[in-house]
PDB file of all heavy atoms in Angstrom:
ATOM      1  N   ALA M  92      73.495  83.285  51.266  1.00 85.00           N
ATOM      2  CA  ALA M  92      72.962  82.387  50.176  1.00 85.00           C
ATOM      3  C   ALA M  92      72.325  81.115  50.629  1.00 85.00           C
ATOM      4  O   ALA M  92      71.546  80.431  49.899  1.00 85.00           O
ATOM      5  CB  ALA M  92      74.205  82.025  49.212  1.00 85.00           C
ATOM      6  N   VAL M  93      72.626  80.778  51.821  1.00 87.00           N
ATOM      7  CA  VAL M  93      72.106  79.518  52.386  1.00 87.00           C
ATOM      8  C   VAL M  93      70.681  79.880  53.125  1.00 87.00           C
ATOM      9  O   VAL M  93      69.764  79.084  53.016  1.00 87.00           O
ATOM     10  CB  VAL M  93      73.103  78.912  53.404  1.00 87.00           C
ATOM     11  CG1 VAL M  93      72.455  77.735  54.064  1.00 87.00           C
ATOM     12  CG2 VAL M  93      74.357  78.465  52.729  1.00 87.00           C
ATOM     13  N   PHE M  94      70.734  80.886  53.942  1.00 89.00           N
ATOM     14  CA  PHE M  94      69.462  81.238  54.664  1.00 89.00           C
ATOM     15  C   PHE M  94      68.889  82.486  54.094  1.00 89.00           C
ATOM     16  O   PHE M  94      69.514  83.525  54.033  1.00 89.00           O
ATOM     17  CB  PHE M  94      69.843  81.445  56.153  1.00 89.00           C
ATOM     18  CG  PHE M  94      70.528  80.275  56.806  1.00 89.00           C
ATOM     19  CD1 PHE M  94      71.880  80.173  56.858  1.00 89.00           C
ATOM     20  CD2 PHE M  94      69.622  79.271  57.263  1.00 89.00           C
ATOM     21  CE1 PHE M  94      72.413  79.077  57.486  1.00 89.00           C
ATOM     22  CE2 PHE M  94      70.202  78.154  57.900  1.00 89.00           C
ATOM     23  CZ  PHE M  94      71.606  78.063  57.981  1.00 89.00           C
ATOM     24  N   PRO M  95      67.639  82.552  53.695  1.00 86.00           N
ATOM     25  CA  PRO M  95      66.693  81.464  53.569  1.00 86.00           C
ATOM     26  C   PRO M  95      66.549  80.781  52.292  1.00 86.00           C
ATOM     27  O   PRO M  95      65.543  80.130  52.022  1.00 86.00           O
ATOM     28  CB  PRO M  95      65.388  82.257  54.007  1.00 86.00           C
ATOM     29  CG  PRO M  95      65.580  83.574  53.395  1.00 86.00           C
ATOM     30  CD  PRO M  95      67.081  83.902  53.521  1.00 86.00           C
ATOM     31  N   ALA M  96      67.546  81.021  51.371  1.00 84.00           N
ATOM     32  CA  ALA M  96      67.361  80.564  49.979  1.00 84.00           C
ATOM     33  C   ALA M  96      67.324  78.942  49.933  1.00 84.00           C
ATOM     34  O   ALA M  96      66.523  78.407  49.268  1.00 84.00           O
ATOM     35  CB  ALA M  96      68.527  81.022  49.179  1.00 84.00           C
ATOM     36  N   LEU M  97      68.226  78.253  50.630  1.00 85.00           N
ATOM     37  CA  LEU M  97      68.297  76.854  50.701  1.00 85.00           C
ATOM     38  C   LEU M  97      67.626  76.215  51.873  1.00 85.00           C
ATOM     39  O   LEU M  97      67.028  75.147  51.831  1.00 85.00           O
ATOM     40  CB  LEU M  97      69.703  76.407  50.523  1.00 85.00           C
ATOM     41  CG  LEU M  97      70.504  76.720  49.287  1.00 85.00           C
ATOM     42  CD1 LEU M  97      71.899  76.230  49.279  1.00 85.00           C
ATOM     43  CD2 LEU M  97      69.752  76.060  48.072  1.00 85.00           C
ATOM     44  N   ILE M  98      67.875  76.857  53.010  1.00 89.00           N
ATOM     45  CA  ILE M  98      67.296  76.307  54.283  1.00 89.00           C
ATOM     46  C   ILE M  98      66.326  77.374  54.747  1.00 89.00           C
ATOM     47  O   ILE M  98      66.612  78.543  54.966  1.00 89.00           O
ATOM     48  CB  ILE M  98      68.436  76.052  55.327  1.00 89.00           C
ATOM     49  CG1 ILE M  98      69.345  75.065  54.872  1.00 89.00           C
ATOM     50  CG2 ILE M  98      67.667  75.731  56.588  1.00 89.00           C
ATOM     51  CD1 ILE M  98      70.455  74.679  55.819  1.00 89.00           C
ATOM     52  N   PRO M  99      65.054  76.956  54.903  1.00 88.00           N
ATOM     53  CA  PRO M  99      64.011  77.953  55.291  1.00 88.00           C
ATOM     54  C   PRO M  99      63.988  78.384  56.741  1.00 88.00           C
ATOM     55  O   PRO M  99      63.274  78.020  57.510  1.00 88.00           O
ATOM     56  CB  PRO M  99      62.674  77.084  54.999  1.00 88.00           C
ATOM     57  CG  PRO M  99      63.073  75.743  55.275  1.00 88.00           C
ATOM     58  CD  PRO M  99      64.508  75.641  54.800  1.00 88.00           C
ATOM     59  N   ALA M 100      65.038  79.249  57.024  1.00 90.00           N
ATOM     60  CA  ALA M 100      65.193  79.865  58.272  1.00 90.00           C
ATOM     61  C   ALA M 100      65.792  81.206  58.156  1.00 90.00           C
ATOM     62  O   ALA M 100      66.418  81.453  57.216  1.00 90.00           O
ATOM     63  CB  ALA M 100      66.064  78.899  59.189  1.00 90.00           C
ATOM     64  N   ALA M 101      65.450  82.013  59.123  1.00 91.00           N
ATOM     65  CA  ALA M 101      65.960  83.414  59.138  1.00 91.00           C
ATOM     66  C   ALA M 101      67.475  83.378  59.431  1.00 91.00           C
ATOM     67  O   ALA M 101      67.975  82.465  60.180  1.00 91.00           O
ATOM     68  CB  ALA M 101      65.287  84.206  60.197  1.00 91.00           C
ATOM     69  N   PRO M 102      68.204  84.368  58.930  1.00 89.00           N
ATOM     70  CA  PRO M 102      69.635  84.485  59.263  1.00 89.00           C
ATOM     71  C   PRO M 102      69.931  84.549  60.771  1.00 89.00           C
ATOM     72  O   PRO M 102      70.890  83.983  61.336  1.00 89.00           O
ATOM     73  CB  PRO M 102      70.127  85.716  58.517  1.00 89.00           C
ATOM     74  CG  PRO M 102      69.134  85.870  57.413  1.00 89.00           C
ATOM     75  CD  PRO M 102      67.869  85.329  57.915  1.00 89.00           C
ATOM     76  N   SER M 103      68.982  85.158  61.580  1.00 93.00           N
ATOM     77  CA  SER M 103      69.168  85.153  62.970  1.00 93.00           C
ATOM     78  C   SER M 103      69.060  83.834  63.657  1.00 93.00           C
ATOM     79  O   SER M 103      69.734  83.463  64.527  1.00 93.00           O
ATOM     80  CB  SER M 103      68.219  86.153  63.667  1.00 93.00           C
ATOM     81  OG  SER M 103      66.832  85.665  63.385  1.00 93.00           O
ATOM     82  N   THR M 104      68.221  82.997  63.092  1.00 93.00           N
ATOM     83  CA  THR M 104      68.091  81.672  63.529  1.00 93.00           C
ATOM     84  C   THR M 104      69.327  80.848  63.178  1.00 93.00           C
ATOM     85  O   THR M 104      69.776  80.021  63.945  1.00 93.00           O
ATOM     86  CB  THR M 104      66.838  80.970  62.802  1.00 93.00           C
ATOM     87  OG1 THR M 104      65.730  81.670  63.085  1.00 93.00           O
ATOM     88  CG2 THR M 104      66.653  79.515  63.292  1.00 93.00           C
ATOM     89  N   ALA M 105      70.038  81.148  62.108  1.00 91.00           N
ATOM     90  CA  ALA M 105      71.278  80.476  61.718  1.00 91.00           C
ATOM     91  C   ALA M 105      72.300  80.863  62.715  1.00 91.00           C
ATOM     92  O   ALA M 105      73.157  79.904  63.038  1.00 91.00           O
ATOM     93  CB  ALA M 105      71.585  80.898  60.335  1.00 91.00           C
ATOM     94  N   ARG M 106      72.377  82.115  63.074  1.00 92.00           N
ATOM     95  CA  ARG M 106      73.379  82.545  64.073  1.00 92.00           C
ATOM     96  C   ARG M 106      73.167  81.828  65.380  1.00 92.00           C
ATOM     97  O   ARG M 106      74.165  81.406  66.033  1.00 92.00           O
ATOM     98  CB  ARG M 106      73.280  84.066  64.215  1.00 92.00           C
ATOM     99  CG  ARG M 106      73.894  84.807  62.991  1.00 92.00           C
ATOM    100  CD  ARG M 106      74.050  86.284  63.292  1.00 92.00           C
ATOM    101  NE  ARG M 106      72.752  86.973  63.304  1.00 92.00           N
ATOM    102  CZ  ARG M 106      72.093  87.417  62.216  1.00 92.00           C
ATOM    103  NH1 ARG M 106      72.572  87.181  61.007  1.00 92.00           N
ATOM    104  NH2 ARG M 106      70.890  88.004  62.370  1.00 92.00           N
ATOM    105  N   LYS M 107      71.852  81.746  65.807  1.00 94.00           N
ATOM    106  CA  LYS M 107      71.632  81.001  67.086  1.00 94.00           C
ATOM    107  C   LYS M 107      72.083  79.505  66.997  1.00 94.00           C
ATOM    108  O   LYS M 107      72.536  78.938  67.916  1.00 94.00           O
ATOM    109  CB  LYS M 107      70.155  81.126  67.428  1.00 94.00           C
ATOM    110  CG  LYS M 107      69.839  82.452  67.853  1.00 94.00           C
ATOM    111  CD  LYS M 107      68.235  82.489  68.098  1.00 94.00           C
ATOM    112  CE  LYS M 107      67.770  83.951  68.193  1.00 94.00           C
ATOM    113  NZ  LYS M 107      66.340  84.077  68.223  1.00 94.00           N
ATOM    114  N   SER M 108      71.903  78.930  65.793  1.00 93.00           N
ATOM    115  CA  SER M 108      72.153  77.550  65.611  1.00 93.00           C
ATOM    116  C   SER M 108      73.681  77.243  65.757  1.00 93.00           C
ATOM    117  O   SER M 108      74.039  76.226  66.154  1.00 93.00           O
ATOM    118  CB  SER M 108      71.630  76.984  64.292  1.00 93.00           C
ATOM    119  OG  SER M 108      72.458  77.419  63.220  1.00 93.00           O
ATOM    120  N   ARG M 109      74.495  78.228  65.419  1.00 92.00           N
ATOM    121  CA  ARG M 109      75.936  78.057  65.619  1.00 92.00           C
ATOM    122  C   ARG M 109      76.289  78.024  67.028  1.00 92.00           C
ATOM    123  O   ARG M 109      77.330  77.499  67.423  1.00 92.00           O
ATOM    124  CB  ARG M 109      76.695  79.114  64.795  1.00 92.00           C
ATOM    125  CG  ARG M 109      76.582  79.046  63.313  1.00 92.00           C
ATOM    126  CD  ARG M 109      77.536  79.858  62.526  1.00 92.00           C
ATOM    127  NE  ARG M 109      77.386  81.254  62.741  1.00 92.00           N
ATOM    128  CZ  ARG M 109      76.613  82.058  61.962  1.00 92.00           C
ATOM    129  NH1 ARG M 109      75.920  81.518  61.002  1.00 92.00           N
ATOM    130  NH2 ARG M 109      76.485  83.307  62.268  1.00 92.00           N
ATOM    131  N   VAL M 110      75.561  78.616  67.824  1.00 94.00           N
ATOM    132  CA  VAL M 110      75.758  78.605  69.352  1.00 94.00           C
ATOM    133  C   VAL M 110      75.213  77.285  69.941  1.00 94.00           C
ATOM    134  O   VAL M 110      75.844  76.615  70.763  1.00 94.00           O
ATOM    135  CB  VAL M 110      75.215  79.838  69.994  1.00 94.00           C
ATOM    136  CG1 VAL M 110      75.338  79.741  71.507  1.00 94.00           C
ATOM    137  CG2 VAL M 110      75.834  81.078  69.445  1.00 94.00           C
ATOM    138  N   THR M 111      73.962  76.985  69.608  1.00 94.00           N
ATOM    139  CA  THR M 111      73.263  75.854  70.279  1.00 94.00           C
ATOM    140  C   THR M 111      73.605  74.513  69.575  1.00 94.00           C
ATOM    141  O   THR M 111      73.437  73.454  70.170  1.00 94.00           O
ATOM    142  CB  THR M 111      71.690  76.055  70.165  1.00 94.00           C
ATOM    143  OG1 THR M 111      71.269  76.155  68.916  1.00 94.00           O
ATOM    144  CG2 THR M 111      71.328  77.384  70.856  1.00 94.00           C
ATOM    145  N   GLY M 112      74.004  74.605  68.285  1.00 94.00           N
ATOM    146  CA  GLY M 112      74.245  73.288  67.635  1.00 94.00           C
ATOM    147  C   GLY M 112      72.898  72.671  67.020  1.00 94.00           C
ATOM    148  O   GLY M 112      73.025  71.569  66.441  1.00 94.00           O
ATOM    149  N   MET M 113      71.806  73.308  67.208  1.00 93.00           N
ATOM    150  CA  MET M 113      70.569  72.730  66.738  1.00 93.00           C
ATOM    151  C   MET M 113      69.891  73.796  65.693  1.00 93.00           C
ATOM    152  O   MET M 113      69.876  74.965  66.039  1.00 93.00           O
ATOM    153  CB  MET M 113      69.585  72.409  67.847  1.00 93.00           C
ATOM    154  CG  MET M 113      70.097  71.381  68.745  1.00 93.00           C
ATOM    155  SD  MET M 113      70.311  69.722  68.005  1.00 93.00           S
ATOM    156  CE  MET M 113      68.612  69.354  67.748  1.00 93.00           C
ATOM    157  N   LEU M 114      69.355  73.230  64.638  1.00 91.00           N
ATOM    158  CA  LEU M 114      68.599  74.096  63.639  1.00 91.00           C
ATOM    159  C   LEU M 114      67.343  73.350  63.251  1.00 91.00           C
ATOM    160  O   LEU M 114      67.456  72.254  62.705  1.00 91.00           O
ATOM    161  CB  LEU M 114      69.462  74.405  62.422  1.00 91.00           C
ATOM    162  CG  LEU M 114      68.827  75.203  61.320  1.00 91.00           C
ATOM    163  CD1 LEU M 114      68.514  76.584  61.813  1.00 91.00           C
ATOM    164  CD2 LEU M 114      69.774  75.328  60.091  1.00 91.00           C
ATOM    165  N   LEU M 115      66.170  74.044  63.464  1.00 87.00           N
ATOM    166  CA  LEU M 115      64.946  73.398  63.159  1.00 87.00           C
ATOM    167  C   LEU M 115      64.792  72.023  63.727  1.00 87.00           C
ATOM    168  O   LEU M 115      64.218  71.098  63.044  1.00 87.00           O
ATOM    169  CB  LEU M 115      64.734  73.390  61.659  1.00 87.00           C
ATOM    170  CG  LEU M 115      64.905  74.742  60.942  1.00 87.00           C
ATOM    171  CD1 LEU M 115      64.809  74.567  59.395  1.00 87.00           C
ATOM    172  CD2 LEU M 115      63.864  75.762  61.434  1.00 87.00           C
ATOM    173  N   GLY M 116      65.142  71.824  64.908  1.00 84.00           N
ATOM    174  CA  GLY M 116      65.050  70.493  65.666  1.00 84.00           C
ATOM    175  C   GLY M 116      65.999  69.479  65.138  1.00 84.00           C
ATOM    176  O   GLY M 116      65.939  68.281  65.548  1.00 84.00           O
ATOM    177  N   GLU M 117      67.025  69.788  64.407  1.00 86.00           N
ATOM    178  CA  GLU M 117      68.011  68.843  63.842  1.00 86.00           C
ATOM    179  C   GLU M 117      69.422  69.384  64.244  1.00 86.00           C
ATOM    180  O   GLU M 117      69.523  70.577  64.428  1.00 86.00           O
ATOM    181  CB  GLU M 117      67.880  68.685  62.359  1.00 86.00           C
ATOM    182  CG  GLU M 117      66.564  68.315  61.836  1.00 86.00           C
ATOM    183  CD  GLU M 117      66.311  66.813  61.777  1.00 86.00           C
ATOM    184  OE1 GLU M 117      67.362  66.070  61.823  1.00 86.00           O
ATOM    185  OE2 GLU M 117      65.148  66.474  61.909  1.00 86.00           O
ATOM    186  N   PRO M 118      70.400  68.474  64.238  1.00 91.00           N
ATOM    187  CA  PRO M 118      71.804  69.111  64.423  1.00 91.00           C
ATOM    188  C   PRO M 118      72.123  70.091  63.338  1.00 91.00           C
ATOM    189  O   PRO M 118      71.769  69.759  62.177  1.00 91.00           O
ATOM    190  CB  PRO M 118      72.660  67.790  64.382  1.00 91.00           C
ATOM    191  CG  PRO M 118      71.798  66.743  64.792  1.00 91.00           C
ATOM    192  CD  PRO M 118      70.403  67.080  64.192  1.00 91.00           C
ATOM    193  N   ALA M 119      72.646  71.213  63.630  1.00 92.00           N
ATOM    194  CA  ALA M 119      72.923  72.214  62.701  1.00 92.00           C
ATOM    195  C   ALA M 119      74.012  71.750  61.683  1.00 92.00           C
ATOM    196  O   ALA M 119      74.825  71.012  62.039  1.00 92.00           O
ATOM    197  CB  ALA M 119      73.373  73.459  63.364  1.00 92.00           C
ATOM    198  N   PRO M 120      73.918  72.299  60.444  1.00 93.00           N
ATOM    199  CA  PRO M 120      74.939  71.982  59.453  1.00 93.00           C
ATOM    200  C   PRO M 120      76.315  72.616  59.864  1.00 93.00           C
ATOM    201  O   PRO M 120      76.279  73.622  60.528  1.00 93.00           O
ATOM    202  CB  PRO M 120      74.414  72.637  58.099  1.00 93.00           C
ATOM    203  CG  PRO M 120      73.485  73.633  58.476  1.00 93.00           C
ATOM    204  CD  PRO M 120      72.836  73.248  59.878  1.00 93.00           C
ATOM    205  N   GLN M 121      77.330  71.975  59.474  1.00 93.00           N
ATOM    206  CA  GLN M 121      78.720  72.435  59.838  1.00 93.00           C
ATOM    207  C   GLN M 121      78.916  73.762  59.021  1.00 93.00           C
ATOM    208  O   GLN M 121      78.358  73.926  57.900  1.00 93.00           O
ATOM    209  CB  GLN M 121      79.705  71.445  59.465  1.00 93.00           C
ATOM    210  CG  GLN M 121      79.644  70.146  60.309  1.00 93.00           C
ATOM    211  CD  GLN M 121      80.724  69.190  59.871  1.00 93.00           C
ATOM    212  OE1 GLN M 121      81.371  69.204  58.881  1.00 93.00           O
ATOM    213  NE2 GLN M 121      80.918  68.187  60.829  1.00 93.00           N
ATOM    214  N   PHE M 122      79.815  74.594  59.610  1.00 94.00           N
ATOM    215  CA  PHE M 122      80.190  75.832  58.918  1.00 94.00           C
ATOM    216  C   PHE M 122      81.635  76.039  59.031  1.00 94.00           C
ATOM    217  O   PHE M 122      82.301  75.344  59.715  1.00 94.00           O
ATOM    218  CB  PHE M 122      79.409  77.101  59.578  1.00 94.00           C
ATOM    219  CG  PHE M 122      79.842  77.261  60.946  1.00 94.00           C
ATOM    220  CD1 PHE M 122      80.762  78.191  61.269  1.00 94.00           C
ATOM    221  CD2 PHE M 122      79.085  76.671  61.985  1.00 94.00           C
ATOM    222  CE1 PHE M 122      81.138  78.477  62.591  1.00 94.00           C
ATOM    223  CE2 PHE M 122      79.459  76.878  63.360  1.00 94.00           C
ATOM    224  CZ  PHE M 122      80.418  77.824  63.640  1.00 94.00           C
ATOM    225  N   VAL M 123      82.057  76.991  58.190  1.00 93.00           N
ATOM    226  CA  VAL M 123      83.546  77.300  58.192  1.00 93.00           C
ATOM    227  C   VAL M 123      83.659  78.793  58.441  1.00 93.00           C
ATOM    228  O   VAL M 123      82.906  79.621  57.877  1.00 93.00           O
ATOM    229  CB  VAL M 123      84.186  77.040  56.739  1.00 93.00           C
ATOM    230  CG1 VAL M 123      85.567  77.396  56.685  1.00 93.00           C
ATOM    231  CG2 VAL M 123      83.922  75.487  56.423  1.00 93.00           C
ATOM    232  N   ARG M 124      84.586  79.147  59.294  1.00 93.00           N
ATOM    233  CA  ARG M 124      84.827  80.542  59.577  1.00 93.00           C
ATOM    234  C   ARG M 124      86.063  81.002  58.748  1.00 93.00           C
ATOM    235  O   ARG M 124      87.114  80.467  58.819  1.00 93.00           O
ATOM    236  CB  ARG M 124      85.083  80.830  61.035  1.00 93.00           C
ATOM    237  CG  ARG M 124      85.295  82.216  61.467  1.00 93.00           C
ATOM    238  CD  ARG M 124      85.472  82.428  62.858  1.00 93.00           C
ATOM    239  NE  ARG M 124      84.287  82.047  63.639  1.00 93.00           N
ATOM    240  CZ  ARG M 124      83.245  82.921  63.878  1.00 93.00           C
ATOM    241  NH1 ARG M 124      83.307  84.112  63.361  1.00 93.00           N
ATOM    242  NH2 ARG M 124      82.194  82.532  64.595  1.00 93.00           N
ATOM    243  N   ARG M 125      85.899  81.971  57.901  1.00 91.00           N
ATOM    244  CA  ARG M 125      86.962  82.646  57.143  1.00 91.00           C
ATOM    245  C   ARG M 125      87.117  83.984  57.684  1.00 91.00           C
ATOM    246  O   ARG M 125      86.439  84.954  57.174  1.00 91.00           O
ATOM    247  CB  ARG M 125      86.645  82.587  55.628  1.00 91.00           C
ATOM    248  CG  ARG M 125      86.444  81.263  55.033  1.00 91.00           C
ATOM    249  CD  ARG M 125      87.779  80.612  54.766  1.00 91.00           C
ATOM    250  NE  ARG M 125      87.513  79.351  54.012  1.00 91.00           N
ATOM    251  CZ  ARG M 125      88.114  78.245  54.425  1.00 91.00           C
ATOM    252  NH1 ARG M 125      88.939  78.194  55.504  1.00 91.00           N
ATOM    253  NH2 ARG M 125      87.839  77.060  53.803  1.00 91.00           N
ATOM    254  N   GLY M 126      88.026  84.256  58.612  1.00 93.00           N
ATOM    255  CA  GLY M 126      88.148  85.518  59.241  1.00 93.00           C
ATOM    256  C   GLY M 126      86.872  85.884  59.999  1.00 93.00           C
ATOM    257  O   GLY M 126      86.473  85.118  60.924  1.00 93.00           O
ATOM    258  N   ARG M 127      86.222  86.930  59.708  1.00 92.00           N
ATOM    259  CA  ARG M 127      84.980  87.231  60.297  1.00 92.00           C
ATOM    260  C   ARG M 127      83.768  86.714  59.595  1.00 92.00           C
ATOM    261  O   ARG M 127      82.588  86.928  60.040  1.00 92.00           O
ATOM    262  CB  ARG M 127      84.795  88.860  60.459  1.00 92.00           C
ATOM    263  CG  ARG M 127      85.820  89.425  61.327  1.00 92.00           C
ATOM    264  CD  ARG M 127      85.814  90.853  61.483  1.00 92.00           C
ATOM    265  NE  ARG M 127      84.522  91.240  62.104  1.00 92.00           N
ATOM    266  CZ  ARG M 127      84.055  92.492  62.267  1.00 92.00           C
ATOM    267  NH1 ARG M 127      84.779  93.462  61.734  1.00 92.00           N
ATOM    268  NH2 ARG M 127      82.992  92.705  62.909  1.00 92.00           N
ATOM    269  N   ASN M 128      83.985  86.086  58.473  1.00 92.00           N
ATOM    270  CA  ASN M 128      82.875  85.693  57.575  1.00 92.00           C
ATOM    271  C   ASN M 128      82.589  84.147  57.847  1.00 92.00           C
ATOM    272  O   ASN M 128      83.503  83.347  58.180  1.00 92.00           O
ATOM    273  CB  ASN M 128      83.325  85.751  56.095  1.00 92.00           C
ATOM    274  CG  ASN M 128      83.452  87.226  55.731  1.00 92.00           C
ATOM    275  OD1 ASN M 128      82.671  88.071  56.107  1.00 92.00           O
ATOM    276  ND2 ASN M 128      84.505  87.439  54.968  1.00 92.00           N
TER     277      ASN M 128
END
């Protein structure tokens, strides 16, 4: 629901941002892990 609907990035870019901490040249938004989700 967030990628690409609210933030114009591919879901694969979102996954990479969780590892690198950067998204589109900015610090990545915080996320919450609920089990595997």
Side-chain angles (χ1 to χ4, degrees):
V93 176
F94 300 96
L97 294 175
I98 297 177
S103 61
T104 304
R106 287 188 288 277
K107 289 176 192 172
S108 76
R109 289 195 296 273
V110 174
T111 63
M113 297 297 288
L114 177 65
L115 305 176
E117 304 277 333
Q121 295 180 344
F122 65 93
V123 177
R124 183 178 295 275
R125 301 278 184 229
R127 295 179 67 188
N128 297 316

